């Protein structure tokens, strides 16, 4: 009961935070400052003996979109820089696996692209800003991965990491309801909707809410031991899913659904006959729940959400592109890669160079095509490292029930939202943890 009251209390507190910041926006700045200060004190006090770094960074990742939405971040890379700082702090206390040097090599592969950029004569580009904008995500991913690779963690502790990441997502969704109580009043077309996204980028809001869908589903299935916990997590799953769909940004919702499907598949695979029956029942209930959420959203949007996912405009006409203009950006990136296959055009240079092909400066939404165009052959090698290392690690890491869900979230997110926020970098790093039900003969969490 104590655990239930504690979780309920935390949920309530994070709902109140949304209300307070909605009423007094300046509090968001204070909130954004308090989190890293308290997090640092927690890590130093405990010397990271219980992987406090993962708890602090998980919270930062969960709160990033809310801070950016409400002006609580001090710059767009604020959370990514903090994640890098805390991961490095964790390494000082807890060391890291020698095998993690593969991610140091990944960082080295980014250097040729930086040198090409520094040698550029393009006077229209703010080189420092371009480098930070495009490389903060990959650097965050690499540093987080160095910390997590083969680091042993108990499954219940990993569940705590996920729970902590979900708490500020509650704040986000409550704020969305306060900012826009009635979806019906603001939806007039099938384009991504800033009003239902709290006035912030629908793509990023959809991404974090899609992650929230998975978090509260996993809480409902794997952590709800009492009826009150089941009801609360079920309600959170419904609310987060509804507001995620209502952003009209498809990428995050599809990623969240894919994560849930992969988790159910893995649970079914590792279960005995009785467990398989339970998973089948869960799948059936999820299906009914999904139909209910979709039907309600369709009612609130007067059927426009269905046209959005069918790639139609408000009048029911098929749109010429299926990815919101991203196809043109990807095509431009592939052409730039073919013209500059070895070194690429330089890190961060794609936005302005695409102007020639598209008639305007457009930032990449696809991290894979960006790495190809801006880093050339070195980008290919770098991406292969990111794909292969987690898969190889999983061979001896079969107790990691969330592996495929985390991996697919990263892969899908970088294809529609690049690495604008820290979530894909951090969630990718979580795939590398050595998850165990219990440590035989050990009481700490050392690196393998």
């Amino acid at each position: 009961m104590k655990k239930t009251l504690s979780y309920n209390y935390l949920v309530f507190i994070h709902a109140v935070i949304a209300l307070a910041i909605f009423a007094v926006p300046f509090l968001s700045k204070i909130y954004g400052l308090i989190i890293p200060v308290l997090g640092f004190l927690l890590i130093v006090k405990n010397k990271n003996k219980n992987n406090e770094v993962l708890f602090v960074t998980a919270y930062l990742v969960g709160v990033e979109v809310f801070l950016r939405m409400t002006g609580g971040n001090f710059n767009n890379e604020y959370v990514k820089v903090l994640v890098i700082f805390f991961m490095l702090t964790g390494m000082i206390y807890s060391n890291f696996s020698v095998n993690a040097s593969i991610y140091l090599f990944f960082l080295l592969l980014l250097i040729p692209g930086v040198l090409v950029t520094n040698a550029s004569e393009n006077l229209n580009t703010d080189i420092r800003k371009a480098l930070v904008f495009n490389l903060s995500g990959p650097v965050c991913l690499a540093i987080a991965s160095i910390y997590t690779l083969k680091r042993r963690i108990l499954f219940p502790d990993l569940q705590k990491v996920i729970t902590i990441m979900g708490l500020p997502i509650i704040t986000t969704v409550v704020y969305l309801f306060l900012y826009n109580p009635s979806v019906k009043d603001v939806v007039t077309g099938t384009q991504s909707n800033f009003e239902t996204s709290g006035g912030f980028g629908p793509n990023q809001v959809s991404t974090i809410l899609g992650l929230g869908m998975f978090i509260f589903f996993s809480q409902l299935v794997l952590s709800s031991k009492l009826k009150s916990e089941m009801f609360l997590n079920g309600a959170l799953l419904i609310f987060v899913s509804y507001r995620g769909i209502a952003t009209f940004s498809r990428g995050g919702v599809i990623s969240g659904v894919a994560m849930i499907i992969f988790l159910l598949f893995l649970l079914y695979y590792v279960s005995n006959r009785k467990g398989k029956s339970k998973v089948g029942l869960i799948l059936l209930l999820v299906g009914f729940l999904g139909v209910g959420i979709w039907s309600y959203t369709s009612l609130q949007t007067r059927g426009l959400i269905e046209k959005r996912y069918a790639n139609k405009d408000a009048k029911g006409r098929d749109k010429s592109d299926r990815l919101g203009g991203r196809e043109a950006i990807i095509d431009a990136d592939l052409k730039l890669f073919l013209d500059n296959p070895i070194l690429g055009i330089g890190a961060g240079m794609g936005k302005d160079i695409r102007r020639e092909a598209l008639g305007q400066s457009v930032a990449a939404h696809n991290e894979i095509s960006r790495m190809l165009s801006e880093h050339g052959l070195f980008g290919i090698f770098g991406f292969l490292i990111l794909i292969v290392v987690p898969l190889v690690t999983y061979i001896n890491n079969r107790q990691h029930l969330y592996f495929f869900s985390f991996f697919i979230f990263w892969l899908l997110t970088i294809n529609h939202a690049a690495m604008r926020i820290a979530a894909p970098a951090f969630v990718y790093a979580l795939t590398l943890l050595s998850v165990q039900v219990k440590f035989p003969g050990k009481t700490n969490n050392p690196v393998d």
Side-chain angles (χ1 to χ4, degrees):
M1 181 62 69
K2 183 178 179 181
K3 177 185 174 183
T4 305
L5 290 175
S6 176
Y7 181 62
N8 291 349
Y9 181 73
L10 288 172
V11 170
F12 174 74
I13 286 295
H14 283 81
V16 170
I17 290 173
L19 181 61
I21 291 177
F22 181 77
V24 186
F26 180 73
L27 291 177
S28 184
K29 288 287 186 187
I30 299 175
Y31 185 39
L33 186 61
I34 286 176
I35 297 167
V37 171
L38 294 181
F40 182 72
L41 292 176
L42 175 67
I43 293 167
V44 172
K45 178 183 178 181
N46 295 285
K47 297 182 179 180
N48 199 42
K49 291 180 180 178
N50 301 303
N51 280 319
E52 284 81 7
V53 162
L54 289 179
F55 301 135
V56 174
T57 50
Y59 193 89
L60 284 165
V61 167
V63 83
E64 181 179 13
V65 168
F66 177 74
L67 292 180
R68 293 181 67 174
M69 182 189 300
T70 57
N73 61 316
F74 292 87
N75 58 62
N76 287 339
E77 314 307 323
Y78 180 60
V79 168
K80 279 182 263 190
V81 171
L82 287 174
V83 170
I84 292 170
F85 169 75
F86 283 121
M87 290 294 181
L88 291 173
T89 303
M91 291 179 218
I92 293 173
Y93 284 114
S94 308
N95 211 336
F96 57 90
S97 170
V98 66
N99 295 323
S101 58
I102 187 67
Y103 288 101
L104 292 175
F105 182 63
F106 169 78
L107 290 175
L108 291 176
L109 291 173
L110 301 177
I111 293 177
V114 174
L115 297 177
V116 171
T117 298
N118 284 323
S120 172
E121 298 180 356
N122 190 337
L123 301 179
N124 296 321
T125 301
D126 183 334
I127 291 178
R128 186 189 68 83
K129 184 177 180 180
L131 288 175
V132 171
F133 179 80
N134 288 278
L135 295 183
S136 60
V139 172
C140 180
L141 180 149
I143 300 300
S145 297
I146 291 171
Y147 177 83
T148 58
L149 183 63
K150 302 189 76 175
R151 185 171 297 275
R152 289 204 290 265
I153 186 172
L154 289 170
F155 182 78
D157 289 335
L158 177 58
Q159 190 66 36
K160 290 178 184 177
V161 171
I162 295 171
T163 302
I164 290 170
M165 187 161 47
L167 290 173
I169 296 178
I170 296 169
T171 305
T172 304
V173 78
V174 171
Y175 183 87
L176 291 178
F177 275 103
L178 294 170
Y179 185 92
N180 169 235
S182 176
V183 170
K184 184 182 295 185
D185 293 340
V186 297
V187 173
T188 58
T190 59
Q191 69 278 5
S192 296
N193 196 298
F194 280 80
E195 286 297 316
T196 60
S197 304
F200 186 61
N203 204 7
Q204 283 75 39
V205 176
S206 171
T207 296
I208 205 67
L209 294 184
L211 180 59
M213 289 167 58
F214 170 77
I215 289 172
F216 296 114
F217 174 79
S218 67
Q219 288 283 94
L220 176 63
V221 173
L222 298 177
S223 295
S224 299
K225 294 180 172 57
L226 301 175
K227 290 183 179 179
S228 59
E229 289 180 330
M230 294 179 64
F231 177 81
L232 179 58
N233 285 313
L236 290 171
L237 173 61
I238 291 170
F239 290 141
V240 170
S241 300
Y242 167 57
R243 292 305 303 219
I245 297 171
T247 63
F248 275 70
S249 183
R250 296 165 291 186
V253 175
I254 292 172
S255 297
V257 171
M259 293 178 80
I260 291 171
I261 290 173
F262 272 88
L263 177 60
L264 285 173
F265 172 79
L266 196 57
L267 288 174
Y268 184 85
Y269 179 76
V270 301
S271 297
N272 54 27
R273 181 177 297 180
K274 184 178 180 180
K276 284 179 168 59
S277 298
K278 290 183 178 179
V279 173
L281 179 60
I282 292 171
L283 182 60
L284 185 63
L285 293 174
V286 167
F288 279 120
L289 188 63
V291 170
I293 295 171
W294 182 265
S295 299
Y296 181 75
T297 309
S298 179
L299 180 65
Q300 291 297 304
T301 61
R302 297 181 294 277
L304 290 174
I305 192 63
E306 294 167 349
K307 293 177 181 177
R308 171 63 171 170
Y309 278 77
N311 203 50
K312 299 178 183 292
D313 63 18
K315 295 182 178 180
R317 297 171 297 193
D318 289 329
K319 294 182 179 180
S320 58
D321 62 89
R322 299 196 63 83
L323 301 176
R326 291 178 176 83
E327 298 99 323
I329 300 174
I330 294 172
D331 288 343
D333 277 345
L334 292 178
K335 185 178 185 304
L336 290 172
F337 167 70
L338 293 175
D339 292 340
N340 306 271
I342 306 301
L343 295 176
I345 58 176
M349 299 302 294
K351 182 176 180 180
D352 286 332
I353 294 178
R354 289 186 199 97
R355 183 189 294 115
E356 299 177 9
L358 305 177
Q360 57 181 329
S361 296
V362 182
H365 287 74
N366 187 301
E367 189 67 14
I368 300 173
S369 68
R370 187 199 69 78
M371 288 186 69
L372 287 175
S373 64
E374 297 185 2
H375 296 274
L377 187 61
F378 293 92
I380 293 178
F381 290 148
F383 185 69
L384 286 175
I385 288 173
L386 300 186
I387 287 287
V388 172
V389 174
L391 296 177
V392 171
T393 303
Y394 180 69
I395 293 174
N396 297 314
N397 194 21
R398 298 301 178 87
Q399 295 186 51
H400 196 335
L401 291 179
Y402 294 137
F403 174 85
F404 289 108
S405 296
F406 289 163
F407 189 76
I408 199 66
F409 173 80
W410 166 74
L411 190 59
L412 291 178
T413 299
I414 66 170
N415 272 281
H416 74 84
M419 298 188 75
R420 301 282 197 277
I421 58 177
F426 179 75
V427 172
Y428 172 91
L430 294 181
T431 66
L432 305 173
L433 290 168
S434 179
V435 181
Q436 299 180 17
V437 175
K438 63 180 180 178
F439 300 135
K442 292 182 180 292
T443 57
N444 59 351
N445 300 359
V447 177
D448 285 344

